[in-house]
Each structure stands twice: as C-alpha cells, then as structure tokens.
Amino acid sequence: MKRTNGILTAAACCWNGVAIGWLVAATSVSAAPSFSKDAQGFFQQHCLECHGEKTKKADLDLRLFRDEATLLKNRKGWANIVKMVSTGEMPPAKRPRPAPAEITAFEQAVEAGTARVVASAKPDPGRVTLRRLNRTEYNNTVRDLLQVDFEPAADFPADDIGHGFDNISDVLTLSPLLLERYLDAAETMAKRVILPDPPKPSARYLSGRYLQPNNAKTPQGRFRPMDPLATDPTESGPFAAGGDYLKFSADADLIFRATLYAEARGPSPVKVVLFLQGSDKGQPATEEQLGRLIGIGSAAVKQFQILREFEITARSAAKPQTIEVPVYRIGKINRAGIAIVKPPAGEEPPKLFIEHLSSEGPLETRPASQLKILACSPNKTQPEQTREVLTRLLSQAYRRPATPAEVTTLAGLVEQTVAEGGKWEAGIQRAITATLCSPKFLFRVELDDRPQAREPHPLDEFQLASRLSYFLWDSMPDQELFDLAAKRQLTASLDAQVRRMLKDPKADALVRHFGMQWLQLERLRTFAPDAQLFPSFNENLRRAMLRETELFFGEIIREDRSVLDLIDGQFTYLNESLARHYGIADSAGNRVGQKKTALGGKPFAPDEFGRVSLLDSERAGILTHASVLTVTSNPTRTSPVKRGRWVLEQILGTPPPPPPAAVPELENQKELTGTLRQRMEQHRKNTSCAGCHKQMDAMGFAFENFDAIGRFRAKDGEGDIDPSGTLPNGQTFQGAVDLKAILKQQKELIARNLAEKLLTYALGRGLEYYDIKTVNQIVAQMAQNDHRFSALAIAIAKSDPFRLRRGTDLTKANESE
C-alpha cells in the first residue's frame, strides 16, 4: 500500500505521509485545530486567488473543498492538496510563503477533521475482488490437497504486484497462456497422484560372492559356499548384505529372500535362520536363541533379530531353494543375512551354497497420494465409493462442503470412464483434472447470500477458514479448520487457531512471501554487484543473505517475539560464508581476530545455519542484515538515499514523494565534487531536493560503515567514514547503532506500518479511508500485548475487514450521508 495517497495517514499520523511528525522540528499551535479557521482560512489567504472563482489553475477549484464532508467525498483531492502544501510545492515560489505554524495548523485541521468524519461513518469492511490463487498459493494448495511433491506453477506466468504484494485480487488476472498452463498442470498432477496401473515392486539382488564378510578369494561361480568347519570367517559365515543396499525402510513393507541349497553332513534336517542386525524395532533375540546359531556371539544380542527359521531341502545347484520372510516397516538395519542352526551334538554342521540374498519392495507401489485420495469404505459399492471419494476431494478443493450436484457431475465422469472400459482409478484421474481446472478451485470464491445488503454481515465459517489459512499459510485450510467451520466454532476459536497456525511449519510461507515482499528483498535474487569491486560476492553468499533474514523473521513469528525486535534483536542466524562476511568467529558471537569474551561458541558449518547470540548491536536487527544493506545499494557503491528511503518507507511507512522530474541523478551531476557525503550536501542545496534529502540522507549515512554488499568498513578508499547525522527534529546519532535506538522509540509508527502492510496482505486489497479505525484498533491491541507478533495476527484475524463483508453500495451510502 502506498501511503502517498493519503488514505490512511489522515487520521493516523499525518495526512500526506511525507511530513513525518517525529522527524520534523516541533512548531507550536496556539489552540486546537479548527477546520473552518485553519483549513478554509489557509485556502482563503494563500490559495483561492489561483484556484477559486476567477481562476482555476490546474483545473482545481478549492471552493469545492468547503467542509469536512469533502474529506471523504474527495479524499484523493485532499491528499494531493496536503502533499503540495507540506512539501512546499504550493504556494509557488513566487508567492509569499506561509509561516511554519500556519502549515502545521492546516495539516492538523485536516487530520482532526478526517478523524471526526471517519469516526462518524458507518462501519465498512470493504469488498475484495474475486481472488485467483497466485503461484505460491497454487503450489501450496495442491501440495496439501493431493500430496504433490513438485511445484507445478513453476512455469506459470509471473503474478503481477499490487500494493507491494503478489496476492492482491485486483491485479491477479487470468490470461489465455495461464489457462493453458492450468490444464497442463492438472493433467500432469492427475497422472502422478493416481496410477491406474501401478508398477511391480522392484527387486534387488546381491550375489553370494559379494556378501559380507567380503572375500576376494571367493571363486567365480553362481554359488558361494558357507562352511562352518572352515577357520576363515569369510568362508564359515554367517553371510549378510547391507541393509541400505536391500532398501529396508521404516516407511515400507518388503520381502527378504535367500536362494541357496545345502550339503548335509548328518541325518538331521538342515536348518537356517534369516536375521536382521541393528533394527530399530522388533523383538531382539535372546542369548538362548543366539546360542543355537553358528558364528553368532552373545555380544550381538541387543542388535540381533531372528526373523524366521527354515528347513533347507534343496541339495543341488540345478534346483536351489528360495526362502523368504516379510519385513514390515523396519528401519535402521545395518545387515540382513543368513545363519546356520547348530545340528544335534556330535553331528557335523551342513555346508550351504548361497546364490544371492535379495529384497523385493516396497510392496505398495501406488503413491501415497493415491492411497490418501482413494481411501473409502471397503464394504460399499463402487458408485458409493466414488461419491465418498469425490465428496471429500471436492469439499477440500473448493474449501467448503461440496453440493450433491457437484459430486454427481464428476461421478458421472468416473462412471463414463468405467463404462468405456477404463479402470475406476482412471475415472478418478479425470475427475481430479476437472476439479483442478474448475474456477471453484482456481479462485477463492466467497459467495454472498445478501449481495446488495447495505449492512456488514459475517462471512460464513468456511470462508473465514479459507481467509485464515491463506493469510497465515498461503494454502488451503487443514482438517482442524474444516472441522471447526463445520461445527460453526471457528469464529469463537480464532485466538487459539491463530496461535496454533503460527507455530506450524507451514507458517514459513508468511516469512517467505509476506516478509520478503514487505522488506523488498526479492530484488536481491537478481541484484548484481560489480564483480571487480566485490569479488567475494557469489551465489552462495546471496542465498545466505536471504536465508539469514528469513530465519530471523521466522523466529519473531515462531517464538512470538515483539515485532520491535526487527529493529534491534540481539540474535541472528549464520552459516560459514555469512559469518566470514560479518567477521564473526562462532555461534557465541565472538569476533574474528579478537579475544573470545563469550564461552561455548561452536564453529559454523558451510551448509547449515546456526543461531548466534550477538555480543553487540552492530548487526542487531534487520537494518544491518547484509540482505537489506545490499539491496539498498548501487552495483558499485553504497546509496545513502536508497538506504534512508528504505527505512522511511518499509520500516516507518512514511515514504518521501518521488523526486522532481527535472533533477538529474547524482552521478550525472558532474559539477559535484568531493566525498559522497560532500556531493550529497551540495546536491541538497537545490531547494527542490532539500526537504526530502534532509530526512533520507541523514538516515542513509548512518549505515555508511557497511559497504555495498554489507561488509563492515572503517574507511571508504583513503578517507575515514563519518556515519554521524542529525535528523530534522534535532536528534543526533553517531552511526547505525544510535539510529536503531532512536527508531525503536517510534513504536507506534513501526507497529502501524507493519499492521497496514500485513492487513493489506491478509485482505488481498489496498487499504481505504474506512480501514483507518481497524488499523488504529490493531495498533492498540499490539501495544497492549508488548507488540508480540501473535497480537498483530490475532487482531487482523478478528478485525471487521477480515471477518465481515458488505454489499456493493455501502461506500456510496457513507459518502452521501
């Protein structure tokens, strides 16, 4: 949401979003602001000569802005007027300038008047255009719906951005190309999640000569002898194969086999056992059982599991015998093998000839998605099973209970497939394809049974569940949300559900897709610093920068920390490359080349991130993350303007206006000389630039100790860096640490900005003047709960714009009354 439109700032901080109250030096106003005196009087004295009855320059007649009612009716016009006055663009330079006190009184009169008008307006939750699933929401939804293990939206056209986010309903268009990709993706997914003809289980064989223990002297041949009378254990046995090779798994059922024949040396039957070693479950063998086996010591008792005993009757290589035993979901198997059971006392043991040990499986070759989708009551008829499967599928895909007519339509498709000779599973495949191409799946449909109602009324519980899940997870509701909605208990359970959902791993989507877009860090993926000036910058470092900020913001959400920790949280997450970039030696925060002052630190791994407790505030908070510092730089140097503007816009929500069109870029002003700071000071002598740059430059220079890829530095070339500055309100600082302390004092500005951004993201629309009261309520709730992230999320989920809807004519009614 762009605050320069003046929609929210009118009753919150300042109408125009430019004259940042806490930054501007205080100007006293003798009395409470009066709209008629301070606003209309200002027009009369400074404006109506050019914008009144006789002259209407720029086609603007300020007589139309005669009372407080126009603050809503013509809110965009008012926003532009206040911006012009506050930035000094009006009155024009040739006209007498208003006194600072007059401008302040004018702004406060407009702000107070807007607050009164908004307070008296009828509640309005606004309206959201029918929302298409964006690419992220599509991927996550099919993952949760069908257990799809790839990202089918990867080749979809990119989603447009509105108000800073890619989930804004007004810009989520539907092109012919996207329709084609929807059909291709639906067909691909249906074929992958349902297999009408599943493959046979795979088999793995390990020839006898390669069994453990290995013996390079084993003669070539089909069978390997195992003779208990031999003194060499590579000949006497037992023999085994590695569990990894045979693919035993805690998630699958397999069959373990041995193919062999025996040479008996006595009258007793030849008996063997198949065994496992190192398994994580099952009944361990007793010492008595192990004592019956040849070559197995009692030391193996805790890891040894006898699967089954067999009698070997085969006596020739021409007709070997295969023995087998099922192994049900047992993992952590080191070895699986065969051992001989001791014959009666006084009888020589038999000699075995082993062709191979083998396994077959997983026995279930249908994908897990198929088992989930086709789960149904086995005692029902096939048509009844079809309706059971489709009712569940459609209710989840459409995010509300499927109607009997919808189920009947797709059941007919399944029946047609079967009637044509196809398998039932193939019919379900076709039904899945049709479901994934339905507008009821592709769009977040919120049907209203009172579309013309002027009074706000609640969403139904399933619509609320869908809004909540796409807000926090970028995906469809889970079963708990569906169950609460079916019982009409979700509204009453919002607090508990929001807290539960924020702790779920799926809430990482809020970090990646809200957090990275809000902070404008997606640009880092394509940012290219000059390779000669910054040779240490590479793809690994780029990914590490992004991951640090994701993990940091993720902890704010997961651990329910104060959102103010975004400014100066004394922790971060680093891997080896980013720690080296920062000059941090270990997880305790000790510095490279300095004496260790914190004990217990561990070295960093190349591919793993570890949490670091910072010993100072240099890298505390996101403002000094390398991701932020890099994306707000130019390819060849730092940019105090970009860094200062980023703080004003992304953290405080008070961006400066666009630069005047006639002013060239700094690099193109060849007349400017000296250091970067000196050239910026010369640039500010231009009166068109001075007002905004006084704010931006001061903040931006606070970060000059960090180069264009976020490395700390004390010098720029040969000159010492001066990171000090003075804000327009007179506050001074000596660098980034001091500035962060100053910023953190502005709790309400930071909370309000984050509330507006997250509410925009949650609603999928830009905020309007009638959302001001909601934002104020959210900010108040945050302040009452130590600014914890859960307080922000809960306040949004319980807000009127999130829970309610209205008909099409309420806005006009508000403006006409």
Side-chain angles (χ1 to χ4, degrees):
M1 183 193 67
K2 295 182 179 179
R3 294 181 58 116
T4 49
N5 63 10
I7 287 172
L8 281 184
T9 48
C13 299
C14 158
W15 180 284
N16 57 29
V18 176
I20 308 163
W22 69 276
L23 281 175
V24 179
T27 301
S28 62
V29 179
S30 58
S34 164
F35 186 84
S36 59
K37 174 187 174 183
D38 297 312
Q40 293 299 321
F42 187 92
F43 283 169
Q44 188 69 40
Q45 184 173 353
H46 298 286
C47 308
L48 288 179
E49 184 176 340
C50 297
H51 303 283
E53 180 179 4
K54 295 181 180 180
T55 305
K56 300 178 180 62
K57 290 186 177 181
D59 199 26
L60 176 63
D61 186 352
L62 291 180
R63 294 176 303 157
L64 301 178
F65 299 78
R66 60 189 179 278
D67 53 38
E68 289 186 352
T70 63
L71 289 168
L72 291 190
K73 293 180 180 179
N74 201 345
R75 54 191 177 275
K76 292 183 179 179
W78 272 107
N80 190 53
I81 291 168
V82 179
K83 182 184 77 171
M84 291 288 190
V85 172
S86 298
T87 58
E89 295 183 57
M90 287 291 163
K94 295 181 181 180
R95 303 288 299 177
R97 297 296 304 156
E102 289 183 274
I103 295 176
T104 300
F106 173 76
E107 293 172 344
Q108 292 180 353
V110 173
E111 176 182 344
T114 303
R116 287 190 292 270
V117 175
V118 169
S120 63
K122 290 184 177 181
D124 185 353
R127 289 180 62 82
V128 179
T129 306
L130 183 68
R131 292 173 65 177
R132 170 177 65 78
L133 299 181
N134 66 17
R135 294 195 300 175
T136 297
E137 292 167 342
Y138 185 96
N139 281 331
N140 292 348
T141 301
V142 296
R143 175 202 66 200
D144 295 339
L145 176 67
L146 302 175
Q147 295 187 343
V148 171
D149 58 358
F150 68 107
E151 295 188 344
D155 62 347
F156 288 5
D159 296 311
D160 290 331
I161 304 296
H163 302 283
F165 301 105
D166 63 2
N167 68 342
I168 303 301
S169 57
D170 287 343
V171 300
L172 288 172
T173 56
L174 186 59
S175 66
L177 175 60
L178 183 55
L179 284 173
E180 292 179 11
R181 297 291 167 83
Y182 278 150
L183 179 58
D184 292 342
E187 291 176 341
T188 299
M189 284 186 284
K191 291 176 181 178
R192 290 182 66 159
V193 300
I194 300 287
L195 300 180
D197 299 300
K200 294 180 179 180
S202 60
R204 289 154 297 280
Y205 298 85
L206 189 61
S207 174
R209 68 190 308 266
Y210 298 111
L211 297 177
Q212 303 168 3
N214 295 322
N215 186 354
K217 298 180 181 179
T218 300
Q220 295 284 347
R222 180 179 167 191
F223 294 88
R224 176 178 176 178
M226 186 170 80
D227 187 355
L229 298 181
T231 57
D232 187 340
T234 64
E235 298 176 2
S236 62
F239 293 162
D244 289 341
Y245 179 82
L246 295 179
K247 303 295 184 183
F248 290 107
S249 169
D251 300 317
D253 298 335
L254 294 92
I255 297 176
F256 177 34
R257 295 189 176 100
T259 301
L260 70 159
Y261 70 93
E263 179 183 294
R265 289 170 170 158
S268 300
V270 176
K271 294 186 178 182
V272 300
V273 298
L274 294 180
F275 66 84
L276 303 178
Q277 211 166 349
S279 59
D280 63 355
K281 66 179 181 179
Q283 184 63 42
T286 65
E287 291 191 22
E288 180 182 355
Q289 290 173 323
L290 292 179
R292 298 181 59 235
L293 305 181
I294 299 176
I296 304 295
S298 59
V301 64
K302 293 183 179 180
Q303 301 182 21
F304 203 92
Q305 180 183 349
I306 296 174
L307 296 174
R308 187 176 298 174
E309 186 175 305
F310 300 87
E311 181 179 344
I312 305 303
T313 57
R315 295 294 184 265
S316 72
K319 293 184 178 181
Q321 180 179 351
T322 297
I323 56 177
E324 65 180 44
V325 61
V327 178
Y328 299 116
R329 299 178 183 270
I330 301 179
K332 299 181 181 178
I333 296 175
N334 298 327
R335 302 167 69 237
I338 185 170
I340 299 174
V341 178
K342 294 177 181 177
E347 186 176 320
E348 288 189 351
K351 182 178 182 180
L352 301 184
F353 296 86
I354 301 173
E355 182 177 9
H356 49 66
L357 299 181
S358 64
S359 67
E360 180 183 354
L363 301 178
E364 177 57 79
T365 60
R366 293 174 297 176
S369 55
Q370 182 166 341
L371 301 179
K372 175 191 173 185
I373 295 168
L374 300 185
C376 56
S377 303
N379 56 343
K380 290 184 177 180
T381 65
Q382 190 174 86
E384 291 173 331
Q385 291 177 332
T386 298
R387 295 190 70 86
E388 179 182 349
V389 168
L390 293 181
T391 298
R392 181 178 62 247
L393 175 68
L394 293 181
S395 296
Q396 294 175 342
Y398 298 166
R399 281 85 68 179
R400 45 86 176 159
T403 66
E406 290 167 338
V407 175
T408 298
T409 298
L410 289 189
L413 193 61
V414 178
E415 292 169 2
Q416 179 185 352
T417 303
V418 175
E420 293 172 351
K423 290 187 175 182
W424 180 68
E425 291 82 359
I428 299 295
Q429 267 187 342
R430 294 179 65 184
I432 290 174
T433 301
T435 300
L436 297 179
C437 291
S438 170
K440 300 169 187 176
F441 169 75
L442 297 172
F443 290 83
R444 291 169 53 185
V445 180
E446 296 178 351
L447 296 177
D448 190 354
D449 58 353
R450 290 171 282 172
Q452 301 301 321
R454 294 183 58 168
E455 295 300 323
H457 48 281
L459 298 167
D460 75 34
E461 293 281 279
F462 287 97
Q463 293 166 353
L464 180 59
S466 185
R467 281 199 179 188
L468 190 61
S469 65
Y470 282 100
F471 167 31
L472 300 179
W473 289 346
D474 274 348
S475 186
M476 60 180 281
D478 65 359
Q479 194 58 49
E480 184 167 339
L481 290 175
F482 278 133
D483 291 343
L484 287 171
K487 298 174 184 176
R488 301 181 182 276
Q489 296 176 355
L490 179 56
T491 300
S493 307
L494 280 175
D495 287 65
Q497 286 304 306
V498 170
R499 295 181 191 279
R500 175 184 73 89
M501 295 172 71
L502 288 177
K503 291 187 178 298
D504 191 284
K506 287 191 286 188
D508 286 345
L510 195 61
V511 175
R512 295 191 303 271
H513 302 115
F514 166 72
M516 296 299 102
Q517 291 185 88
W518 162 44
L519 299 173
Q520 297 187 345
L521 295 184
E522 291 295 330
R523 294 180 296 172
L524 183 57
R525 300 185 191 279
T526 56
F527 184 77
D530 187 285
Q532 291 185 335
L533 295 176
F534 306 102
S536 63
F537 186 87
N538 54 38
E539 286 304 311
N540 287 335
L541 186 59
R542 184 200 308 273
R543 287 192 294 268
M545 290 177 177
L546 286 168
R547 189 59 181 153
E548 176 194 20
T549 306
E550 287 179 349
L551 290 169
F552 180 91
F553 191 28
E555 179 166 330
I556 299 288
I557 295 175
R558 186 178 59 256
E559 301 298 328
D560 198 15
R561 300 176 69 103
S562 168
V563 299
L564 301 177
D565 282 350
L566 291 166
I567 305 300
D568 65 351
Q570 292 290 132
F571 68 94
T572 193
Y573 288 83
L574 302 177
N575 68 351
E576 186 179 66
S577 63
L578 193 55
R580 183 169 58 249
H581 191 67
Y582 285 177
I584 294 178
D586 56 38
S587 60
N590 292 297
R591 293 283 182 172
V592 173
Q594 298 181 11
K595 183 179 179 181
K596 290 187 177 182
T597 58
L599 302 178
K602 298 180 181 179
F604 296 101
D607 301 321
E608 295 181 7
F609 280 77
R611 192 181 191 278
V612 180
S613 298
L614 299 173
L615 298 180
D616 55 51
S617 297
E618 179 184 292
R619 292 289 179 179
I622 60 174
L623 275 67
T624 44
H625 279 194
S627 58
V628 172
L629 295 166
T630 302
V631 84
T632 54
S633 295
N634 292 323
T636 58
R637 65 166 177 83
T638 61
S639 174
V641 174
K642 289 182 178 179
R643 288 176 174 177
R645 182 184 179 93
W646 185 90
V647 174
L648 291 173
E649 184 167 359
Q650 306 311 128
I651 301 302
L652 300 176
T654 51
V663 178
E665 293 288 336
L666 187 67
E667 284 77 1
N668 297 330
Q669 299 181 53
K670 304 301 182 184
E671 69 277 11
L672 305 182
T673 59
T675 65
L676 179 59
R677 179 182 281 271
Q678 292 168 339
R679 283 182 287 146
M680 294 298 299
E681 289 173 352
Q682 296 168 42
H683 178 73
R684 287 200 299 274
K685 291 181 180 179
N686 186 327
T687 56
S688 299
C689 307
C692 294
H693 276 282
K694 184 179 291 187
Q695 302 164 6
M696 293 187 295
D697 295 0
M699 289 189 177
F701 275 114
F703 303 101
E704 271 299 281
N705 277 127
F706 302 93
D707 69 10
I709 58 172
R711 288 178 306 193
F712 187 84
R713 60 182 183 169
K715 292 180 177 291
D716 183 7
E718 297 298 322
D720 293 334
I721 288 175
D722 177 11
S724 65
T726 302
L727 298 175
N729 66 357
Q731 286 182 286
T732 62
F733 54 85
Q734 297 303 313
V737 174
D738 288 352
L739 179 61
K740 284 186 280 190
I742 293 173
L743 291 175
K744 193 170 182 180
Q745 296 172 9
Q746 308 309 314
K747 296 179 181 180
E748 183 173 347
L749 268 182
I750 295 168
R752 183 174 300 278
N753 176 58
L754 182 53
E756 291 175 4
K757 298 289 186 182
L758 192 56
L759 184 59
T760 298
Y761 179 84
L763 297 178
R765 65 167 174 83
L767 302 191
E768 298 289 346
Y769 70 93
Y770 44 75
D771 295 312
I772 294 173
K773 285 193 289 189
T774 293
V775 173
N776 290 341
Q777 291 166 359
I778 293 171
V779 173
Q781 288 293 316
M782 293 173 68
Q784 293 171 15
N785 292 276
D786 299 323
H787 294 93
R788 296 189 180 277
F789 190 88
S790 65
L792 168 61
I794 290 170
I796 289 175
K798 298 175 74 172
S799 69
D800 285 354
F802 194 85
R803 296 186 306 105
L804 305 181
R805 66 188 315 157
R806 64 161 168 83
T808 58
D809 60 351
L810 184 57
T811 301
K812 294 180 180 178
N814 266 333
E815 294 181 355
S816 64
E817 293 177 359

